[in-house]
Amino acid sequence: MTKIQRPTGMQDVLPDDGRYWSWVTKEATALAEQYGFARIDVPIIEYTDLFARGMGTASDVFVQKEMYTIEEPDGKHITLRPEFTAGLVRAYIQNGMGSWAQPVKLFSIGPIFRRERPQAGRYRQHSQFDCEIMGETDPAADVEVMMAAMNLYRKLGYKGLNFQINSTGCPVCKPVYMDALKSYLAGREDELAPIDIERLQKNPLRILDSKEKGMDALLADAPHIIDHLCEDCRDHFVDLRTLLDTLEQPYTINFRLVRGIDYYTKTVFEVWAEGIGAQAAVCGGGRYDGLAEAIGGRSVPGVGFGSGIERIILGIKEQGIEPPAPPSLSVLVAHFGGESKQTAVALTYTLRAAGIDTRLAFARKRRSMKSQMREANKHNVEYVLIIGDSEVENNTVTLRPMNGGQQEVVAVDELVERLRG
RNA sequence: GCGGGUAUAGUGUAGUGGUCAACACGUCUGGUUGUGACCCAGAAGAUCGUGGGUUCAAGUCCCACUACUCGCCCCA
């Protein structure tokens, strides 16, 4: 019989990595709350239509090949969420958040699922930290989500960070730009790689972020979308830059940063960090003023970002950043079985009730002190409390510091105070 | 969907076609009665991913499959 393994693209996060996870999610949560984002948790599963709508012609491919979709017995199709934004916008609409004080600022942390071949830092199940501001068109809101992302990475100790920004226009100006780009490329088809000729047909914007050789030269004189923006989009972009300048943030206008899907509007951004393999981006985000309508609500502007936890951790490791030391237990309670075990078990819960991190040495029979000491050492406890016959008799415990200090006998009544001291 | 690489104890590795498949770390026990880290001794733990093939002989060579991994496609 073949051994059962975890499904392709799924990860077990073992305790060694768990300390990175607790740290990153704790910092992310604290930062989001400090910025005034409120925590929301929406289902991992949504009706497939939520993710399919608004994705334009590409939606069929997405739903069939890139998402985990299940047909229920009653014929309804449900899908494991491939991102946060759609679910949060759905929750906004469904829960009448349009009548809350605007804007509504939400954050969430949890798993998302994409059915693609795993690559470094890209798994079929991975977790994201996601912040969204809905009901606000002010570019200062764009800056706020950008700063939330940036300052999280700074807090975690990342070096070499900067913003990559661009605008993806809006339904008014994006098509105009697409035409300009297509006619520029049309004259150069012989210079395009086969894959990019295909893109020219299907999704011309994607040529901009093509990794084929010679693209820099080929695109040197290509039209930039920021030169083709309508007045509204241009104003928005100028304001955004002004605010980033005011805050003295490092940013690069990257005309090759694109979003192919229609409901994305105006701001597109990524945060790049040095030394994270081929892909420098630790997060991606932008404005999606067309999404709410696309999924059947009334028009609500929104801006946000998502950042993969696994990717953040990968970057932390590559940059040689150490998480805070894993929490160590204060004490281990050791005993010799029999009556001393009863005393030890009782004491363990007394200490825990007093807020002291306590580990109990398990032993079905009498267990050697050597073995219990070794256990204490492995788990990095500060003290071992030894309980034997004489301690039971005298209502005391032997308190042994593991840092090499002198051990002493302490009355049980004074123990908690002594440990806290 | 398409390529490249890899597959040996829990982990990481070694292993010219031929004795009981080795080492490190980890785990467990012990080094006199109730004291860790370092050190020493001992133990457990692998039908060498699965299935075929070549051969007198396969962990080692060949094929297929599967898994993992790196990349491509795609990228919300």
Side-chain angles (χ1 to χ4, degrees):
Chain A
M1 195 159 56
T2 23
K3 263 189 277 188
I4 294 178
Q5 319 187 77
R6 80 182 84 88
T8 299
M10 309 290 167
Q11 301 295 120
D12 296 318
V13 180
L14 271 21
D16 258 4
D17 266 359
R19 64 200 178 105
Y20 287 91
W21 277 74
S22 329
W23 180 45
V24 170
T25 53
K26 202 178 107 203
E27 294 292 350
T29 302
L31 183 135
E33 285 171 348
Q34 197 212 347
Y35 278 55
F37 290 88
R39 170 145 192 154
I40 182 170
D41 285 280
V42 296
I44 288 171
I45 292 175
E46 298 276 1
Y47 286 120
T48 304
D49 276 352
L50 174 66
F51 303 120
R53 277 193 215 167
M55 284 192 163
T57 50
S59 72
D60 286 352
V61 183
F62 273 131
V63 172
Q64 283 171 23
K65 289 181 57 186
E66 311 289 340
M67 298 184 197
Y68 284 97
T69 295
I70 303 161
E71 182 175 353
E72 295 190 285
D74 62 5
K76 286 180 178 169
H77 288 79
I78 54 177
T79 294
L80 295 178
R81 66 181 177 203
E83 55 146 0
F84 271 100
T85 311
L88 294 197
V89 172
R90 193 227 83 230
Y92 176 98
I93 296 166
Q94 185 165 1
N95 295 289
M97 293 186 201
S99 59
W100 294 10
Q102 299 297 298
V104 175
K105 296 165 64 176
L106 302 170
F107 83 96
S108 198
I109 295 183
I112 67 168
F113 302 83
R114 298 179 179 182
R115 201 180 183 297
E116 57 193 3
R117 290 298 291 268
Q119 296 170 50
R122 290 182 68 170
Y123 306 108
R124 288 184 167 184
Q125 176 183 339
H126 73 273
S127 290
Q128 281 197 354
F129 169 56
D130 186 275
C131 293
E132 310 285 349
I133 299 181
M134 284 176 260
E136 182 57 67
T137 55
D138 185 351
D142 305 40
V143 170
E144 189 153 299
V145 295
M146 291 171 72
M147 292 302 285
M150 178 60 87
N151 284 335
L152 172 61
Y153 308 133
R154 287 190 180 130
K155 186 79 201 295
L156 294 172
Y158 268 88
K159 296 281 186 288
L161 293 161
N162 79 305
F163 286 117
Q164 302 284 309
I165 63 169
N166 196 23
S167 176
T168 193
C170 67
V172 174
C173 51
K174 187 191 270 186
V176 179
Y177 171 67
M178 297 262 284
D179 287 343
L181 180 64
K182 273 192 261 188
S183 53
Y184 172 82
L185 292 167
R188 284 157 230 264
E189 286 195 32
D190 50 330
E191 295 172 57
L192 288 173
I195 180 69
D196 286 324
I197 301 219
E198 203 182 316
R199 287 184 175 122
L200 185 57
Q201 306 298 322
K202 280 166 42 185
N203 200 347
L205 284 178
R206 281 266 93 82
I207 295 182
L208 292 173
D209 66 1
S210 168
K211 288 167 209 142
E212 296 299 321
K213 264 183 283 184
M215 291 311 288
D216 288 344
L218 181 61
L219 294 172
D221 299 315
H224 293 196
I225 190 166
I226 53 171
D227 299 322
H228 292 73
L229 295 176
C230 63
E231 192 182 349
D232 186 38
C233 289
R234 194 181 331 118
D235 287 351
H236 192 95
F237 193 66
V238 169
D239 273 10
L240 180 82
R241 289 190 57 188
T242 304
L243 292 171
L244 289 175
D245 289 335
T246 303
L247 294 170
E248 297 181 325
Q249 296 301 307
Y251 67 85
T252 304
I253 298 174
N254 183 344
F255 77 99
R256 293 171 68 173
L257 197 60
V258 295
R259 289 289 122 94
I261 293 169
D262 293 340
Y263 59 68
Y264 284 97
T265 56
K266 300 191 170 76
T267 310
V268 183
F269 76 91
E270 291 183 350
V271 176
W272 285 11
E274 62 191 25
I276 309 193
Q279 303 223 325
V282 280
C283 85
R287 185 161 273 285
Y288 47 87
D289 291 345
L291 177 56
E293 253 178 315
I295 64 176
R298 69 186 169 75
S299 176
V300 180
V303 61
F305 75 89
S307 184
I309 307 286
E310 288 83 352
R311 200 165 189 81
I312 293 175
I313 291 172
L314 192 67
I316 284 173
K317 289 178 177 171
E318 284 183 17
Q319 293 207 349
I321 301 166
E322 269 299 308
S328 60
L329 288 172
S330 310
V331 303
L332 177 136
V333 182
H335 59 87
F336 296 97
E339 201 180 335
S340 72
K341 176 167 159 181
Q342 291 171 34
T343 307
V345 171
L347 181 64
T348 297
Y349 290 97
T350 303
L351 292 175
R352 285 173 178 164
I356 293 164
D357 298 344
T358 307
R359 182 182 181 95
L360 172 67
F362 293 128
R364 296 199 64 182
K365 296 182 218 159
R366 183 187 175 84
R367 182 172 160 200
S368 76
M369 189 44 54
K370 178 200 292 289
S371 160
Q372 298 183 69
M373 290 297 292
R374 279 180 173 161
E375 178 178 341
N377 191 247
K378 257 166 232 151
H379 292 93
N380 223 277
V381 305
E382 292 174 65
Y383 296 97
V384 173
L385 303 183
I386 300 169
I387 298 171
D389 293 342
S390 66
E391 283 87 351
V392 170
E393 196 174 319
N394 300 320
N395 237 353
T396 58
V397 301
T398 296
L399 179 67
R400 178 179 177 78
M402 294 298 279
N403 61 6
Q406 196 69 33
Q407 75 181 36
E408 56 187 305
V409 176
V410 179
V412 169
D413 295 342
E414 295 162 17
L415 182 59
V416 169
E417 199 179 342
R418 175 70 182 75
L419 285 170
R420 282 176 176 158

